[in-house]
Amino acid sequence: MARVYGAIEGGGTKFVCAIATGPEDILTRVRLDTRTPAQTIPEAIAFLRDATRGHVLAAIGVACFGPIELDPCAPDYGSVTTTVKPGWAHTPIVGPLREAFGVPVGFDTDVNGAALGEVRWGAAQGCDPAIYLTVGTGIGGGAIVNGRPLHGLMHPEIGHLPIPRITWPDGRPDDYVGACAYHGGGCFEGLASGPAIGARAGRPAESIPNDDPIWELEAGYLALGLASVVLSLSPRRIVVGGGVMHRGDVLRRTRERLRDVLAGYVGRPEVTVPNETYVVPPRFGQDAGLVGAIALAEAAEQGAR
Ligand code: ZN
């Protein structure tokens, strides 16, 4: 019987569950709508139980939306904590999986997981520290430092970095109120997430033409967020996923604005000469989070040996 990993990418709108032997060998997957914990967690367990029939389940990895509790000594280790998602605050995730399967469970933020997957097998191999940033409905970022996902007081919350306001390309002030439930327009996510772009334009971000000046404004904000990360964690590579970064030439403009914001202070060719090897797309694209969950399962299995 083949040894397989269970992988769960737990998101605010969907739970993608799979079994796999590695990133290139996903055997079965399912997409579940994120409903209430009482519905979705048993659905995920039922999928894994069914899909692993005839296999040996070695470990499970969960790359989860947050904030989450990662301190193994905390009484609520393995839970979602203070989320604004209705019904999900203080929801145990690891406990029910351990109870159901009795195997090691790797647990981390979706973006720490994606960062680990990209370092282990993808676009950030050989790069340490490395950052994974996603810009879409929200903004999230994870970090690998010394080979492991960065944990501390909690975990990186790059999406909520305070970011100064900039002006539109024609010099107008950006007076948008902001999209963050906690910080309004005072943070990276509040100013630069997909909903923030859409709200300024009065239409969904996906429908805004590539030549709209809003993308230049967006690149300016993305560069400010990236510069804060470059200056605080000194990553050797930043992997950027999510829909926004790959619209038109947002990625190219962001690389150029990043060079401008850093203003020559970080005297490394990676940032002084905008190039295509420092801020890069994820190898695993839309599957970066799911592959991250596989990497967390692998790490949990190795840690349990
Ligand atoms: Zn915020």
Side-chain angles (χ1 to χ4, degrees):
M1 286 199 293
R3 289 170 65 79
V4 296
Y5 296 123
I8 299 175
E9 180 192 9
T13 56
K14 63 181 196 291
F15 267 52
V16 180
C17 309
I19 63 163
T21 62
E24 312 285 359
D25 186 33
I26 295 171
L27 305 176
T28 316
R29 71 161 80 195
V30 69
R31 182 203 145 119
L32 308 170
D33 290 333
T34 306
R35 300 189 287 161
T36 66
Q39 294 168 309
T40 303
I41 293 171
E43 281 177 7
I45 289 172
F47 163 79
L48 288 178
R49 214 183 279 288
D50 196 44
T52 52
R53 206 160 285 147
H55 300 284
V56 175
L57 180 63
I60 298 170
V62 186
C64 190
F65 72 100
I68 59 177
E69 182 54 67
L70 291 170
D71 175 358
C73 299
D76 59 344
Y77 167 77
S79 298
V80 173
T81 59
T82 56
T83 179
V84 293
K85 181 154 182 69
W88 283 82
H90 309 290
T91 295
I93 306 288
V94 171
L97 291 168
R98 274 197 187 139
E99 212 163 281
F101 297 101
V103 298
V105 178
F107 182 63
D108 218 309
T109 62
D110 44 7
V111 280
N112 262 351
L116 186 63
E118 291 291 333
V119 166
R120 180 80 179 79
W121 300 299
Q125 286 178 72
C127 300
D128 192 338
I131 303 294
Y132 177 86
L133 186 80
T134 180
V135 184
T137 311
I139 296 182
I144 302 302
V145 179
N146 296 329
R148 307 172 76 116
L150 181 59
H151 298 170
L153 189 60
M154 41 189 250
H155 42 73
E157 281 288 359
I158 293 167
H160 299 276
L161 283 170
I163 297 289
R165 282 182 186 268
I166 58 174
T167 57
W168 288 80
D170 65 5
R172 270 182 299 146
D174 174 27
D175 55 6
Y176 170 56
V177 64
C180 177
Y182 286 83
H183 312 115
C187 74
F188 194 13
E189 178 171 302
L191 290 169
S193 61
I197 299 167
R200 287 190 189 88
R203 60 202 263 187
E206 305 82 75
S207 71
I208 303 171
N210 286 341
D211 60 358
D212 192 292
I214 203 163
W215 298 115
E216 185 62 30
L217 182 77
E218 176 67 11
Y221 282 125
L222 292 171
L224 285 167
L226 290 179
S228 293
V229 172
V230 170
L231 294 166
S232 54
L233 291 171
S234 212
R236 292 186 187 277
R237 187 165 294 162
I238 300 174
V239 181
V240 287
V244 169
M245 196 58 105
H246 304 292
R247 277 299 309 272
D249 58 359
V250 169
L251 181 56
R252 178 187 62 77
R253 292 187 205 201
T254 301
R255 289 173 177 141
E256 291 178 4
R257 295 292 84 75
L258 176 62
R259 174 198 56 191
D260 298 344
V261 172
L262 293 172
Y265 185 78
V266 179
R268 297 283 182 176
E270 287 84 347
V271 288
T272 50
V273 182
N275 62 55
E276 295 174 2
T277 61
Y278 189 63
V279 181
V280 301
R283 173 176 174 194
F284 297 109
Q286 302 281 5
D287 280 343
L290 187 64
V291 170
I294 298 169
L296 291 169
E298 183 196 63
E301 181 194 26
Q302 289 166 354
R305 271 183 192 153

mmCIF file of all heavy atoms in Angstrom, residues 162-203:
data_model
loop_
_atom_site.group_PDB
_atom_site.id
_atom_site.type_symbol
_atom_site.label_atom_id
_atom_site.label_comp_id
_atom_site.label_asym_id
_atom_site.label_seq_id
_atom_site.Cartn_x
_atom_site.Cartn_y
_atom_site.Cartn_z
ATOM 1 N N PRO A 162 1.606 48.646 8.348
ATOM 2 C CA PRO A 162 1.195 50.026 8.067
ATOM 3 C C PRO A 162 1.918 50.538 6.820
ATOM 4 O O PRO A 162 3.118 50.346 6.676
ATOM 5 C CB PRO A 162 1.650 50.799 9.306
ATOM 6 C CG PRO A 162 1.961 49.774 10.338
ATOM 7 C CD PRO A 162 2.353 48.527 9.604
ATOM 8 N N ILE A 163 1.173 51.126 5.923
ATOM 9 C CA ILE A 163 1.722 51.607 4.645
ATOM 10 C C ILE A 163 1.285 53.066 4.466
ATOM 11 O O ILE A 163 0.105 53.376 4.669
ATOM 12 C CB ILE A 163 1.145 50.763 3.476
ATOM 13 C CG1 ILE A 163 1.565 49.294 3.589
ATOM 14 C CG2 ILE A 163 1.526 51.349 2.120
ATOM 15 C CD1 ILE A 163 3.012 49.041 3.301
ATOM 16 N N PRO A 164 2.222 53.957 4.118
ATOM 17 C CA PRO A 164 1.791 55.335 3.873
ATOM 18 C C PRO A 164 0.967 55.456 2.593
ATOM 19 O O PRO A 164 1.103 54.644 1.681
ATOM 20 C CB PRO A 164 3.111 56.093 3.729
ATOM 21 C CG PRO A 164 4.096 55.071 3.290
ATOM 22 C CD PRO A 164 3.661 53.760 3.883
ATOM 23 N N ARG A 165 0.121 56.456 2.556
ATOM 24 C CA ARG A 165 -0.651 56.704 1.336
ATOM 25 C C ARG A 165 0.222 57.373 0.285
ATOM 26 O O ARG A 165 1.119 58.148 0.611
ATOM 27 C CB ARG A 165 -1.846 57.594 1.641
ATOM 28 C CG ARG A 165 -2.966 56.841 2.296
ATOM 29 C CD ARG A 165 -4.138 57.771 2.535
ATOM 30 N NE ARG A 165 -5.169 57.081 3.300
ATOM 31 C CZ ARG A 165 -6.193 56.419 2.752
ATOM 32 N NH1 ARG A 165 -6.336 56.370 1.440
ATOM 33 N NH2 ARG A 165 -7.078 55.818 3.512
ATOM 34 N N ILE A 166 -0.053 57.055 -0.976
ATOM 35 C CA ILE A 166 0.644 57.707 -2.080
ATOM 36 C C ILE A 166 -0.401 58.411 -2.953
ATOM 37 O O ILE A 166 -1.600 58.315 -2.687
ATOM 38 C CB ILE A 166 1.472 56.693 -2.908
ATOM 39 C CG1 ILE A 166 0.587 55.566 -3.465
ATOM 40 C CG2 ILE A 166 2.573 56.104 -2.038
ATOM 41 C CD1 ILE A 166 1.331 54.617 -4.396
ATOM 42 N N THR A 167 0.055 59.112 -3.967
ATOM 43 C CA THR A 167 -0.870 59.813 -4.851
ATOM 44 C C THR A 167 -1.059 59.027 -6.148
ATOM 45 O O THR A 167 -0.227 58.187 -6.517
ATOM 46 C CB THR A 167 -0.347 61.219 -5.209
ATOM 47 O OG1 THR A 167 0.951 61.073 -5.801
ATOM 48 C CG2 THR A 167 -0.235 62.103 -3.975
ATOM 49 N N TRP A 168 -2.159 59.325 -6.830
ATOM 50 C CA TRP A 168 -2.396 58.771 -8.162
ATOM 51 C C TRP A 168 -1.311 59.297 -9.112
ATOM 52 O O TRP A 168 -0.679 60.318 -8.821
ATOM 53 C CB TRP A 168 -3.769 59.202 -8.657
ATOM 54 C CG TRP A 168 -4.914 58.517 -7.969
ATOM 55 C CD1 TRP A 168 -5.435 58.839 -6.750
ATOM 56 C CD2 TRP A 168 -5.663 57.413 -8.454
ATOM 57 N NE1 TRP A 168 -6.475 57.981 -6.446
ATOM 58 C CE2 TRP A 168 -6.643 57.097 -7.485
ATOM 59 C CE3 TRP A 168 -5.624 56.651 -9.630
ATOM 60 C CZ2 TRP A 168 -7.555 56.058 -7.643
ATOM 61 C CZ3 TRP A 168 -6.535 55.614 -9.794
ATOM 62 C CH2 TRP A 168 -7.489 55.322 -8.810
ATOM 63 N N PRO A 169 -1.122 58.624 -10.258
ATOM 64 C CA PRO A 169 -0.098 59.083 -11.202
ATOM 65 C C PRO A 169 -0.270 60.554 -11.608
ATOM 66 O O PRO A 169 0.715 61.241 -11.891
ATOM 67 C CB PRO A 169 -0.291 58.152 -12.409
ATOM 68 C CG PRO A 169 -0.910 56.917 -11.843
ATOM 69 C CD PRO A 169 -1.746 57.355 -10.685
ATOM 70 N N ASP A 170 -1.513 61.093 -11.593
ATOM 71 C CA ASP A 170 -1.709 62.500 -11.980
ATOM 72 C C ASP A 170 -1.575 63.454 -10.782
ATOM 73 O O ASP A 170 -1.849 64.657 -10.911
ATOM 74 C CB ASP A 170 -3.067 62.689 -12.670
ATOM 75 C CG ASP A 170 -4.244 62.411 -11.737
ATOM 76 O OD1 ASP A 170 -4.023 62.153 -10.522
ATOM 77 O OD2 ASP A 170 -5.397 62.436 -12.212
ATOM 78 N N GLY A 171 -1.178 62.945 -9.633
ATOM 79 C CA GLY A 171 -0.920 63.812 -8.486
ATOM 80 C C GLY A 171 -2.077 63.961 -7.515
ATOM 81 O O GLY A 171 -1.919 64.559 -6.443
ATOM 82 N N ARG A 172 -3.264 63.437 -7.877
ATOM 83 C CA ARG A 172 -4.410 63.493 -6.958
ATOM 84 C C ARG A 172 -4.106 62.706 -5.699
ATOM 85 O O ARG A 172 -3.476 61.645 -5.791
ATOM 86 C CB ARG A 172 -5.618 62.801 -7.600
ATOM 87 C CG ARG A 172 -6.529 63.663 -8.427
ATOM 88 C CD ARG A 172 -7.693 62.799 -8.943
ATOM 89 N NE ARG A 172 -7.266 61.690 -9.792
ATOM 90 C CZ ARG A 172 -7.843 60.500 -9.845
ATOM 91 N NH1 ARG A 172 -8.879 60.214 -9.071
ATOM 92 N NH2 ARG A 172 -7.404 59.559 -10.666
ATOM 93 N N PRO A 173 -4.616 63.144 -4.533
ATOM 94 C CA PRO A 173 -4.461 62.290 -3.349
ATOM 95 C C PRO A 173 -5.329 61.033 -3.471
ATOM 96 O O PRO A 173 -6.369 61.076 -4.119
ATOM 97 C CB PRO A 173 -4.940 63.172 -2.186
ATOM 98 C CG PRO A 173 -5.733 64.260 -2.802
ATOM 99 C CD PRO A 173 -5.291 64.419 -4.236
ATOM 100 N N ASP A 174 -4.878 59.960 -2.870
ATOM 101 C CA ASP A 174 -5.692 58.745 -2.792
ATOM 102 C C ASP A 174 -6.503 58.831 -1.506
ATOM 103 O O ASP A 174 -5.985 58.616 -0.421
ATOM 104 C CB ASP A 174 -4.780 57.508 -2.778
ATOM 105 C CG ASP A 174 -5.574 56.230 -2.542
ATOM 106 O OD1 ASP A 174 -6.772 56.209 -2.892
ATOM 107 O OD2 ASP A 174 -4.987 55.265 -2.010
ATOM 108 N N ASP A 175 -7.789 59.172 -1.656
ATOM 109 C CA ASP A 175 -8.604 59.383 -0.459
ATOM 110 C C ASP A 175 -9.539 58.208 -0.180
ATOM 111 O O ASP A 175 -10.509 58.336 0.564
ATOM 112 C CB ASP A 175 -9.396 60.688 -0.566
ATOM 113 C CG ASP A 175 -10.246 60.729 -1.838
ATOM 114 O OD1 ASP A 175 -10.292 59.697 -2.550
ATOM 115 O OD2 ASP A 175 -10.848 61.785 -2.121
ATOM 116 N N TYR A 176 -9.235 57.041 -0.761
ATOM 117 C CA TYR A 176 -10.070 55.849 -0.522
ATOM 118 C C TYR A 176 -10.054 55.489 0.976
ATOM 119 O O TYR A 176 -9.003 55.491 1.613
ATOM 120 C CB TYR A 176 -9.558 54.688 -1.371
ATOM 121 C CG TYR A 176 -10.188 53.364 -1.017
ATOM 122 C CD1 TYR A 176 -11.566 53.204 -1.045
ATOM 123 C CD2 TYR A 176 -9.397 52.277 -0.636
ATOM 124 C CE1 TYR A 176 -12.151 51.995 -0.699
ATOM 125 C CE2 TYR A 176 -9.967 51.061 -0.297
ATOM 126 C CZ TYR A 176 -11.349 50.934 -0.322
ATOM 127 O OH TYR A 176 -11.915 49.742 0.030
ATOM 128 N N VAL A 177 -11.224 55.157 1.505
ATOM 129 C CA VAL A 177 -11.376 54.949 2.951
ATOM 130 C C VAL A 177 -10.643 53.703 3.459
ATOM 131 O O VAL A 177 -10.218 53.653 4.613
ATOM 132 C CB VAL A 177 -12.880 54.907 3.316
ATOM 133 C CG1 VAL A 177 -13.566 53.720 2.664
ATOM 134 C CG2 VAL A 177 -13.093 54.887 4.811
ATOM 135 N N GLY A 178 -10.472 52.704 2.602
ATOM 136 C CA GLY A 178 -9.721 51.513 3.006
ATOM 137 C C GLY A 178 -10.605 50.300 3.190
ATOM 138 O O GLY A 178 -11.783 50.412 3.518
ATOM 139 N N ALA A 179 -10.036 49.107 2.994
ATOM 140 C CA ALA A 179 -10.821 47.871 2.966
ATOM 141 C C ALA A 179 -10.572 46.950 4.156
ATOM 142 O O ALA A 179 -11.177 45.887 4.239
ATOM 143 C CB ALA A 179 -10.516 47.103 1.671
ATOM 144 N N CYS A 180 -9.684 47.333 5.091
ATOM 145 C CA CYS A 180 -9.382 46.410 6.189
ATOM 146 C C CYS A 180 -10.383 46.594 7.331
ATOM 147 O O CYS A 180 -10.651 47.713 7.766
ATOM 148 C CB CYS A 180 -7.970 46.625 6.715
ATOM 149 S SG CYS A 180 -7.604 45.564 8.136
ATOM 150 N N ALA A 181 -10.919 45.456 7.813
ATOM 151 C CA ALA A 181 -11.897 45.504 8.906
ATOM 152 C C ALA A 181 -11.271 46.052 10.184
ATOM 153 O O ALA A 181 -11.976 46.605 11.031
ATOM 154 C CB ALA A 181 -12.456 44.109 9.157
ATOM 155 N N TYR A 182 -9.977 45.910 10.344
ATOM 156 C CA TYR A 182 -9.292 46.382 11.553
ATOM 157 C C TYR A 182 -8.690 47.773 11.389
ATOM 158 O O TYR A 182 -8.714 48.579 12.300
ATOM 159 C CB TYR A 182 -8.167 45.421 11.952
ATOM 160 C CG TYR A 182 -8.675 44.139 12.566
ATOM 161 C CD1 TYR A 182 -9.088 43.079 11.765
ATOM 162 C CD2 TYR A 182 -8.736 43.992 13.945
ATOM 163 C CE1 TYR A 182 -9.558 41.912 12.319
ATOM 164 C CE2 TYR A 182 -9.204 42.822 14.515
ATOM 165 C CZ TYR A 182 -9.618 41.777 13.708
ATOM 166 O OH TYR A 182 -10.088 40.619 14.257
ATOM 167 N N HIS A 183 -8.077 48.027 10.207
ATOM 168 C CA HIS A 183 -7.243 49.230 10.046
ATOM 169 C C HIS A 183 -7.724 50.183 8.958
ATOM 170 O O HIS A 183 -7.038 51.156 8.658
ATOM 171 C CB HIS A 183 -5.798 48.815 9.734
ATOM 172 C CG HIS A 183 -5.279 47.748 10.651
ATOM 173 N ND1 HIS A 183 -4.947 46.482 10.220
ATOM 174 C CD2 HIS A 183 -5.098 47.754 11.988
ATOM 175 C CE1 HIS A 183 -4.565 45.749 11.252
ATOM 176 N NE2 HIS A 183 -4.648 46.487 12.333
ATOM 177 N N GLY A 184 -8.881 49.923 8.367
ATOM 178 C CA GLY A 184 -9.375 50.804 7.315
ATOM 179 C C GLY A 184 -8.358 50.932 6.199
ATOM 180 O O GLY A 184 -7.951 49.944 5.604
ATOM 181 N N GLY A 185 -7.941 52.164 5.925
ATOM 182 C CA GLY A 185 -6.941 52.409 4.893
ATOM 183 C C GLY A 185 -5.557 52.608 5.487
ATOM 184 O O GLY A 185 -4.696 53.218 4.852
ATOM 185 N N GLY A 186 -5.351 52.077 6.694
ATOM 186 C CA GLY A 186 -4.060 52.274 7.362
ATOM 187 C C GLY A 186 -3.094 51.131 7.182
ATOM 188 O O GLY A 186 -2.030 51.133 7.793
ATOM 189 N N CYS A 187 -3.467 50.139 6.378
ATOM 190 C CA CYS A 187 -2.549 48.996 6.214
ATOM 191 C C CYS A 187 -2.498 48.560 4.751
ATOM 192 O O CYS A 187 -3.283 48.987 3.913
ATOM 193 C CB CYS A 187 -2.957 47.844 7.127
ATOM 194 S SG CYS A 187 -4.430 46.952 6.606
ATOM 195 N N PHE A 188 -1.547 47.659 4.502
ATOM 196 C CA PHE A 188 -1.266 47.138 3.156
ATOM 197 C C PHE A 188 -2.543 46.557 2.529
ATOM 198 O O PHE A 188 -2.943 46.939 1.429
ATOM 199 C CB PHE A 188 -0.168 46.079 3.325
ATOM 200 C CG PHE A 188 0.518 45.621 2.077
ATOM 201 C CD1 PHE A 188 0.400 46.290 0.870
ATOM 202 C CD2 PHE A 188 1.344 44.491 2.124
ATOM 203 C CE1 PHE A 188 1.066 45.854 -0.267
ATOM 204 C CE2 PHE A 188 2.008 44.043 0.991
ATOM 205 C CZ PHE A 188 1.868 44.707 -0.188
ATOM 206 N N GLU A 189 -3.200 45.647 3.255
ATOM 207 C CA GLU A 189 -4.422 45.029 2.735
ATOM 208 C C GLU A 189 -5.538 46.050 2.521
ATOM 209 O O GLU A 189 -6.273 45.999 1.545
ATOM 210 C CB GLU A 189 -4.898 43.936 3.713
ATOM 211 C CG GLU A 189 -6.182 43.254 3.303
ATOM 212 C CD GLU A 189 -6.492 42.037 4.168
ATOM 213 O OE1 GLU A 189 -5.661 41.105 4.228
ATOM 214 O OE2 GLU A 189 -7.555 42.022 4.813
ATOM 215 N N GLY A 190 -5.639 46.999 3.450
ATOM 216 C CA GLY A 190 -6.679 48.020 3.353
ATOM 217 C C GLY A 190 -6.536 48.875 2.110
ATOM 218 O O GLY A 190 -7.527 49.367 1.554
ATOM 219 N N LEU A 191 -5.294 49.065 1.649
ATOM 220 C CA LEU A 191 -5.044 49.946 0.507
ATOM 221 C C LEU A 191 -4.834 49.201 -0.810
ATOM 222 O O LEU A 191 -5.072 49.765 -1.875
ATOM 223 C CB LEU A 191 -3.800 50.813 0.786
ATOM 224 C CG LEU A 191 -3.982 51.885 1.862
ATOM 225 C CD1 LEU A 191 -2.634 52.486 2.251
ATOM 226 C CD2 LEU A 191 -4.931 52.978 1.380
ATOM 227 N N ALA A 192 -4.371 47.946 -0.751
ATOM 228 C CA ALA A 192 -3.887 47.316 -1.991
ATOM 229 C C ALA A 192 -4.510 45.963 -2.321
ATOM 230 O O ALA A 192 -4.140 45.354 -3.322
ATOM 231 C CB ALA A 192 -2.361 47.169 -1.913
ATOM 232 N N SER A 193 -5.467 45.474 -1.515
ATOM 233 C CA SER A 193 -6.095 44.181 -1.842
ATOM 234 C C SER A 193 -7.045 44.351 -3.034
ATOM 235 O O SER A 193 -7.400 45.481 -3.408
ATOM 236 C CB SER A 193 -6.859 43.660 -0.630
ATOM 237 O OG SER A 193 -7.872 44.574 -0.268
ATOM 238 N N GLY A 194 -7.472 43.238 -3.590
ATOM 239 C CA GLY A 194 -8.419 43.279 -4.715
ATOM 240 C C GLY A 194 -9.649 44.109 -4.407
ATOM 241 O O GLY A 194 -10.051 44.971 -5.215
ATOM 242 N N PRO A 195 -10.304 43.911 -3.235
ATOM 243 C CA PRO A 195 -11.477 44.743 -2.918
ATOM 244 C C PRO A 195 -11.162 46.241 -2.843
ATOM 245 O O PRO A 195 -12.012 47.070 -3.204
ATOM 246 C CB PRO A 195 -11.919 44.204 -1.549
ATOM 247 C CG PRO A 195 -11.446 42.786 -1.546
ATOM 248 C CD PRO A 195 -10.140 42.795 -2.305
ATOM 249 N N ALA A 196 -9.964 46.609 -2.403
ATOM 250 C CA ALA A 196 -9.596 48.029 -2.347
ATOM 251 C C ALA A 196 -9.482 48.609 -3.755
ATOM 252 O O ALA A 196 -9.903 49.750 -4.013
ATOM 253 C CB ALA A 196 -8.274 48.200 -1.588
ATOM 254 N N ILE A 197 -8.941 47.821 -4.662
ATOM 255 C CA ILE A 197 -8.836 48.270 -6.064
ATOM 256 C C ILE A 197 -10.242 48.427 -6.651
ATOM 257 O O ILE A 197 -10.574 49.457 -7.256
ATOM 258 C CB ILE A 197 -8.036 47.241 -6.898
ATOM 259 C CG1 ILE A 197 -6.620 47.092 -6.350
ATOM 260 C CG2 ILE A 197 -8.020 47.625 -8.364
ATOM 261 C CD1 ILE A 197 -5.890 45.878 -6.909
ATOM 262 N N GLY A 198 -11.069 47.397 -6.422
ATOM 263 C CA GLY A 198 -12.425 47.414 -6.978
ATOM 264 C C GLY A 198 -13.272 48.550 -6.436
ATOM 265 O O GLY A 198 -14.040 49.179 -7.172
ATOM 266 N N ALA A 199 -13.120 48.823 -5.132
ATOM 267 C CA ALA A 199 -13.931 49.885 -4.522
ATOM 268 C C ALA A 199 -13.566 51.255 -5.091
ATOM 269 O O ALA A 199 -14.438 52.098 -5.322
ATOM 270 C CB ALA A 199 -13.737 49.875 -3.007
ATOM 271 N N ARG A 200 -12.276 51.490 -5.334
ATOM 272 C CA ARG A 200 -11.877 52.778 -5.929
ATOM 273 C C ARG A 200 -12.455 52.929 -7.336
ATOM 274 O O ARG A 200 -12.861 54.010 -7.739
ATOM 275 C CB ARG A 200 -10.354 52.891 -6.016
ATOM 276 C CG ARG A 200 -9.651 53.124 -4.692
ATOM 277 C CD ARG A 200 -8.195 53.450 -4.998
ATOM 278 N NE ARG A 200 -7.350 53.492 -3.821
ATOM 279 C CZ ARG A 200 -6.730 52.446 -3.295
ATOM 280 N NH1 ARG A 200 -6.878 51.249 -3.831
ATOM 281 N NH2 ARG A 200 -5.966 52.591 -2.231
ATOM 282 N N ALA A 201 -12.471 51.821 -8.079
ATOM 283 C CA ALA A 201 -12.890 51.877 -9.480
ATOM 284 C C ALA A 201 -14.399 51.753 -9.636
ATOM 285 O O ALA A 201 -14.940 52.006 -10.707
ATOM 286 C CB ALA A 201 -12.192 50.760 -10.262
ATOM 287 N N GLY A 202 -15.093 51.319 -8.571
ATOM 288 C CA GLY A 202 -16.531 51.122 -8.661
ATOM 289 C C GLY A 202 -16.908 49.920 -9.502
ATOM 290 O O GLY A 202 -18.023 49.822 -10.007
ATOM 291 N N ARG A 203 -16.005 48.986 -9.662
ATOM 292 C CA ARG A 203 -16.267 47.742 -10.403
ATOM 293 C C ARG A 203 -15.243 46.699 -9.966
ATOM 294 O O ARG A 203 -14.195 47.045 -9.421
ATOM 295 C CB ARG A 203 -16.159 47.989 -11.913
ATOM 296 C CG ARG A 203 -14.786 48.490 -12.325
ATOM 297 C CD ARG A 203 -14.820 49.219 -13.644
ATOM 298 N NE ARG A 203 -14.441 48.343 -14.718
ATOM 299 C CZ ARG A 203 -14.249 48.759 -15.976
ATOM 300 N NH1 ARG A 203 -14.422 50.034 -16.295
ATOM 301 N NH2 ARG A 203 -13.914 47.916 -16.915
#
